[in-house]
């Protein structure tokens, strides 16, 4: 058991905060003054420490680089006008990181390091949490294999780290998405449900090809038939068809999004009809053509609630209803943000108040 009272804190001599333009925050390019690190060796985690943010010395032979034992998480802290800071559902991210770790044959991380460690880190970086309604502090925990060994086997040593980045919106405008029916993100029995770095690497080329056509992102389809919607890589997908909120069920190919779970919980409580079931590409496109699809949107920590304005399948594009008419994503999206900022009752105890 790690005693977090013993997380050693080494502070940076002078903060960089005045160098950052908080009025114009991009996603993920600015980092706070400190980071947390811990080391796994001899079968246990130790040396949890908060140190100045900076480069990490490493061997060029570490197995994370060569064989991809590398996983991460994403969560956010919010500040309201009263200056209160809340971290949204850190335990859910801790649990999900440990599921990713098990699948990638990596050690699980104790709650004392993940949750208490990030609480201490964000507390130290309080001034970096933006108060602007569209901004937040994005928290990125990650773990990677550090054995300097070129044989293909699970590493025996690992580093865990948490870095923080004050961010604006990931997507600044409503999205144009392509339904991808050639490339595959994840197959049954693989690592699609895990937040494995390699999942994102394999999506780069198909996403770039789409972006060259002016498309923002992809909606992946199943590996076997390319006939059913999966997720969008940066977010889970939701469709409102015949006034029912429908989202693909969680399988081994879909990331179990914390925002997905939060959104579905609130939508059910608000008495919207919700179905977790497969959605075929044909059902979606025919539904759009017939005017039965009233909303398509993605949900994710970085993406928040990302409404979709246009879909492309093969050579055809389809306009979706304007976002002002999107009742469920607008209503539940606003409610979720109000909860995160402590402006509405947190009936599920999702927030960790600092
Ligand atoms: C997140 O939403 O936290 C993600 O990890 C998605 C993306 C930025 C990789």
């Amino acid at each position: 058991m790690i005693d977090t009272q013993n997380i050693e804190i080494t502070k940076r001599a002078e903060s960089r905060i005045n160098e950052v333009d908080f009025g114009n925050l991009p996603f993920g390019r600015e980092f706070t003054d400190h980071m947390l690190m811990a080391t796994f060796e001899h079968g246990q985690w130790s040396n949890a420490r908060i140190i100045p943010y900076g480069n990490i010395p490493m061997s060029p032979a570490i197995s994370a680089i060569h064989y991809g034992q590398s996983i991460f998480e994403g969560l956010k802290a919010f500040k309201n006008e009263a200056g209160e800071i809340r971290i949204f559902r850190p335990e859910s991210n801790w649990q999900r990181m440990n599921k990713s770790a098990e699948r990638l044959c990596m050690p699980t991380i104790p709650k004392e390091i993940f949750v208490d460690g990030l609480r201490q880190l964000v507390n130290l970086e309080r001034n970096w949490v933006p108060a602007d309604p569209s901004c937040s502090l994005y928290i990125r925990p990650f773990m990677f294999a550090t054995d300097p060994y070129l044989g293909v086997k699970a590493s025996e040593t690992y580093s865990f780290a948490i870095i923080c980045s004050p961010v604006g919106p990931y997507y600044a405008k409503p999205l144009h998405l392509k339904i991808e029916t050639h490339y595959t993100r994840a197959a049954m029995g693989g690592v699609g449900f895990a937040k494995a770095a390699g999942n994102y690497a394999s999506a780069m080329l198909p996403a770039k090809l789409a972006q060259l056509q002016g498309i923002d992102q992809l909606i992946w389809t199943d590996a076997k038939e390319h006939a059913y919607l999966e997720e969008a890589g940066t977010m889970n997908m939701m469709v409102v068809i015949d006034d029912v909120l429908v989202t693909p069920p969680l399988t081994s190919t879909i990331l179990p999004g914390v925002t997905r779970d939060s959104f579905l919980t609130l939508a059910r409580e608000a008495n919207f009809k919700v179905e977790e079931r497969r959605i075929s590409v044909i059902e979606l496109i025919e539904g759009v053509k017939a005017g039965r699809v009233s909303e398509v949107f993605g949900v994710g920590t970085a993406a928040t609630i990302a409404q979709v304005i246009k879909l492309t399948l093969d050579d055809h594009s389809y306009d979706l209803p304007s976002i002002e008419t999107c009742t469920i994503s607008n209503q539940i999206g606003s409610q979720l943000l109000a909860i995160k900022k402590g402006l509405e009752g947190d009936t599920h105890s999702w927030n960790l108040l600092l």
Side-chain angles (χ1 to χ4, degrees), residues 14 18 42 83 118 130 209 222-223 248 275 285 294-295 332 345:
E14 210 175 315
N18 292 333
H42 311 302
L118 78 80
L209 294 175
D222 68 287
E275 290 177 4
I285 295 301
S294 51
E295 303 181 43
I332 304 296

Side-chain angles (χ1 to χ4, degrees), residues 16-332:
R16 276 192 54 253
I17 198 161
N18 292 333
E19 295 169 25
V20 175
D21 179 4
F22 275 76
N24 183 23
L25 283 173
F27 182 87
R29 291 208 185 273
E30 300 287 355
F31 299 97
T32 65
D33 288 325
H34 300 92
M35 62 188 190
L36 180 139
M37 291 209 72
T39 306
F40 184 86
E41 55 190 4
H42 311 302
Q44 61 182 21
W45 288 100
S46 64
N47 195 17
R49 59 212 185 267
I50 291 174
I51 54 176
Y53 178 89
N55 293 347
I56 305 173
M58 59 178 73
S59 155
I62 64 169
S63 43
I65 295 176
H66 298 273
Y67 305 125
Q69 265 189 304
S70 179
I71 56 176
F72 69 96
E73 273 301 325
L75 64 162
K76 280 178 173 173
F78 297 85
K79 189 183 271 175
N80 61 20
E81 282 180 6
E84 296 168 337
I85 295 175
R86 289 171 171 79
I87 306 174
F88 190 65
R89 299 191 73 175
E91 284 209 18
S92 302
N93 293 87
W94 167 61
Q95 285 161 350
R96 189 173 65 183
M97 174 161 253
N98 282 344
K99 292 203 174 98
S100 300
E102 278 165 16
R103 179 62 184 83
L104 274 285
C105 207
M106 300 165 79
T108 55
I109 184 89
K111 190 173 164 188
E112 290 76 12
I113 296 181
F114 188 106
V115 179
D116 294 349
L118 78 80
R119 188 176 48 74
Q120 290 198 38
L121 179 63
V122 176
N123 203 25
L124 185 65
E125 308 291 54
R126 300 182 74 92
N127 294 342
W128 287 85
V129 185
D132 184 286
S134 64
C135 298
S136 57
L137 187 75
Y138 184 74
I139 304 165
R140 171 55 65 89
F142 57 105
M143 190 199 298
F144 58 98
T146 53
D147 274 7
Y149 175 56
L150 295 184
V152 180
K153 77 182 247 305
S155 181
E156 289 173 13
T157 61
Y158 295 85
S159 283
F160 172 75
I162 306 177
I163 55 174
C164 301
S165 172
V167 296
Y170 192 83
Y171 295 117
K173 57 175 184 50
L175 299 177
H176 174 186
L177 300 187
K178 173 186 168 185
I179 302 173
E180 177 62 59
T181 53
H182 174 69
Y183 293 103
T184 296
R185 174 183 174 275
M188 293 296 261
V191 299
F193 71 92
K195 224 156 164 54
N199 285 337
Y200 297 80
S202 69
M204 302 274 176
L205 175 68
K208 188 163 187 185
L209 294 175
Q211 280 151 11
L212 289 174
Q213 295 176 271
I215 291 164
D216 297 305
Q217 262 299 344
L218 305 175
I219 302 178
W220 297 98
T221 52
D222 68 287
K224 205 168 163 194
E225 302 171 75
H226 291 299
Y228 295 92
L229 306 188
E230 297 257 297
E231 60 152 288
T234 52
M235 55 195 186
N236 294 108
M237 289 309 305
M238 305 211 169
V239 173
V240 180
I241 183 160
D242 292 331
D243 295 324
V244 181
L245 175 64
V246 190
T247 193
L250 296 179
T251 63
S252 61
T253 60
I254 293 185
L255 187 86
V258 176
T259 311
R260 175 189 182 280
D261 179 72
S262 310
F263 195 99
L264 292 179
T265 302
L266 296 179
R268 287 189 171 110
E269 285 174 0
N271 289 324
F272 289 114
K273 281 190 220 136
V274 174
E275 290 177 4
E276 291 179 66
R277 63 163 173 84
R278 298 221 287 179
I279 310 163
S280 73
V281 176
I282 291 177
E283 178 187 6
L284 175 60
I285 295 301
E286 291 305 318
V288 171
K289 284 196 215 160
R292 292 168 45 222
V293 171
S294 51
E295 303 181 43
V296 177
F297 56 98
V299 292
T301 297
T304 64
I305 310 301
Q307 290 158 319
V308 181
I309 198 72
K310 192 188 267 203
L311 286 174
T312 290
L313 173 67
D314 302 325
D315 296 332
H316 298 279
S317 291
Y318 305 88
D319 288 326
L320 293 169
S322 74
I323 59 169
E324 294 77 39
T325 64
C326 294
T327 315
I328 301 185
S329 49
N330 287 331
Q331 179 182 322
I332 304 296

